[in-house]
Amino acid sequence: MSRRLLVTGGAGFIGANFVHHWCQAYPDDRVVVLDALTYAGNRLNLTPVEGRENFRFVQGDICDRPLVDELLSTENIDTIAHFAAESHVDRSILGPGAFVQTNVVGTFTLLEAFRQHWQTKAQPSDYRFLHVSTDEVYGSLGPDDAAFSETTPYAPNSPYSASKAGSDHLVRAYYHTYNLPTIITNCSNNYGSYQFPEKLLPLMCINTLIGKPLPVYGDGKNVRDWLYVGDHCRALDVVINRGKPGETYNIGGNNEVENIKLVELLCQMMDELASDLPVRPASQLITFVKDRPGHDRRYAINANKIKTQLGWTPSVTIAEGLRLTVEWYLTHRDWWEPLLSAEYQAYYWKNYSVK
């Protein structure tokens, strides 16, 4: 049976990639995107699906309850894929209020609206509320600690991760209190096309292309598990179609890499793939900067549950995904150049200072 999806934050990085995936995999499904188009939301991210008969874009805020109610009703939505979030740790340190409003209040608004809509429809068993979250809610790992599992206690260390933890708890509570068919996914660091320049990999790609320093926090030995966004979208597809309501599924890439080693690998690929770099070798641009306050040392995902129960595993290695990502930024200068606005530059210089 076809689905009728409301994708919140569908003009953002992961949300837009998910929309592309879903429209290609399920062309008969109705996909409605709700996005406020704040700084990291970009209507151009949806260009590949604009004009499709079964696609609609609505600019609006997930905290706008009347708007959410209207969309659920008029579009007869049976599935919410909830990506909308303030998502950058650095920005949460500079301005935490927006993170609480969007991530906590916004998620609560969606849950309440979907609960009423679902109850009005006599509580269909095939309805789904997918809440896309982060591994950062689990806190930080030591070098020898076991990877995060779905039963790891929450220990968020930034305003961003705390706000996502709060939203996770609300989603879980709505399942246990109201039997609302919710599912939570906690993913590791995503990378790929359409990612806003403030994030590590697009920042390094773009700065290399324009000859600016490549800022690396602290000693560069913070470890992250890197998940190619295409793999993530496949996992979310599986979770929506085969996941069990009330469950949480961790989604990881099986690619643990130190930040500095990742940047060095990216520099090697830029040297290989870009013919007109202002500085060559690109590694000369690596610049260590003052560490982020409360910077978590290591994240790692144990994705055995989604593998054994739903049959999903990541298919893209860090080398393969990084090459795809670099090639995308090399060929989409017209996409990222307009994003380097005065506001972005002011944020950039406020955030990074040389050690």
Side-chain angles (χ1 to χ4, degrees):
M1 294 178 60
S2 62
R3 289 188 177 272
R4 303 180 66 86
L5 285 80
L6 177 65
V7 183
T8 70
F13 163 47
I14 305 176
N17 277 281
F18 174 81
V19 169
H20 300 165
H21 167 87
W22 200 274
C23 287
Q24 183 175 7
Y26 307 100
D28 293 332
D29 285 6
R30 175 71 165 167
V31 175
V32 180
V33 167
L34 174 62
D35 198 295
L37 294 183
T38 53
Y39 76 96
N42 190 339
R43 184 73 181 269
L44 293 176
N45 294 356
L46 297 169
T47 299
V49 298
E50 295 277 12
R52 295 176 65 106
E53 182 179 348
N54 288 341
F55 174 80
R56 177 187 175 192
F57 175 82
V58 178
Q59 183 173 353
D61 193 331
I62 59 171
C63 295
D64 184 345
R65 176 64 186 273
L67 174 60
V68 174
D69 285 339
E70 187 269 334
L71 288 174
L72 293 177
S73 176
T74 59
E75 292 287 351
N76 197 23
I77 298 297
D78 56 53
T79 303
I80 289 182
H82 178 32
F83 296 88
E86 296 284 347
S87 64
H88 193 44
V89 173
D90 294 341
R91 286 184 183 263
S92 80
I93 294 169
L94 297 173
F99 287 73
V100 174
Q101 181 66 22
T102 298
N103 299 353
V104 180
V105 177
T107 300
F108 165 73
T109 303
L110 290 170
L111 285 165
E112 272 291 275
F114 192 64
R115 177 171 73 94
Q116 180 178 342
H117 174 65
W118 174 68
Q119 290 174 339
T120 300
K121 298 290 184 178
Q123 304 182 6
S125 61
D126 61 339
Y127 275 37
R128 291 292 182 271
F129 186 108
L130 171 67
H131 177 62
V132 181
S133 190
T134 172
D135 60 354
E136 297 191 35
V137 298
Y138 298 123
S140 183
L141 292 171
D144 300 319
D145 290 341
F148 300 133
S149 74
E150 289 80 1
T151 59
T152 300
Y154 277 28
N157 290 320
S158 71
Y160 161 61
S161 57
S163 68
K164 289 298 289 185
S167 65
D168 289 8
H169 291 319
L170 280 171
V171 174
R172 184 177 187 275
Y174 267 67
Y175 170 75
H176 286 278
T177 302
Y178 305 108
N179 206 32
L180 192 70
T182 64
I183 301 177
I184 299 170
T185 58
N186 296 91
C187 68
S188 56
N189 282 38
N190 277 224
Y191 68 103
S193 56
Y194 299 104
Q195 191 169 25
F196 192 73
E198 69 188 2
K199 299 290 189 173
L200 179 63
L201 286 177
L203 175 66
M204 298 300 159
C205 286
I206 293 169
N207 279 15
T208 301
L209 289 172
I210 60 181
K212 289 180 64 174
L214 306 181
V216 176
Y217 281 132
D219 61 5
K221 294 186 180 297
N222 299 76
V223 175
R224 298 294 180 262
D225 175 20
W226 292 92
L227 173 65
Y228 186 64
V229 69
D231 273 341
H232 189 194
C233 292
R234 287 193 306 104
L236 297 176
D237 181 336
V238 170
V239 168
I240 289 174
N241 284 301
R242 303 210 299 273
K244 182 180 177 182
E247 292 294 324
T248 293
Y249 299 96
N250 280 355
I251 304 172
N254 294 337
N255 290 310
E256 279 192 67
V257 186
E258 288 184 353
N259 286 348
I260 185 61
K261 292 183 179 178
L262 187 70
V263 174
E264 290 170 347
L265 179 58
L266 182 141
C267 286
Q268 294 171 15
M269 288 195 174
M270 294 296 288
D271 289 337
E272 174 191 346
L273 298 173
S275 60
D276 55 349
L277 292 180
V279 176
R280 185 183 295 274
S283 58
Q284 294 182 57
L285 294 170
I286 294 174
T287 305
F288 291 94
V289 299
K290 182 180 178 181
D291 206 0
R292 167 195 290 166
H295 196 179
D296 290 338
R297 193 62 169 173
R298 172 176 170 249
Y299 303 144
I301 282 281
N302 179 337
N304 285 338
K305 179 177 178 179
I306 192 173
K307 176 182 179 180
T308 57
Q309 295 188 10
L310 303 183
W312 175 88
T313 55
S315 63
V316 180
T317 67
I318 189 66
E320 294 166 341
L322 196 57
R323 179 174 292 271
L324 290 170
T325 302
V326 168
E327 289 174 342
W328 192 87
Y329 284 93
L330 284 174
T331 56
H332 288 78
R333 185 179 286 263
D334 59 336
W335 179 86
W336 56 259
E337 276 189 334
L339 302 180
L340 307 184
S341 63
E343 186 277 335
Y344 172 78
Q345 298 294 341
Y347 154 78
Y348 180 92
W349 289 113
K350 183 186 296 185
N351 202 64
Y352 296 112
S353 59
V354 178
K355 288 178 68 175

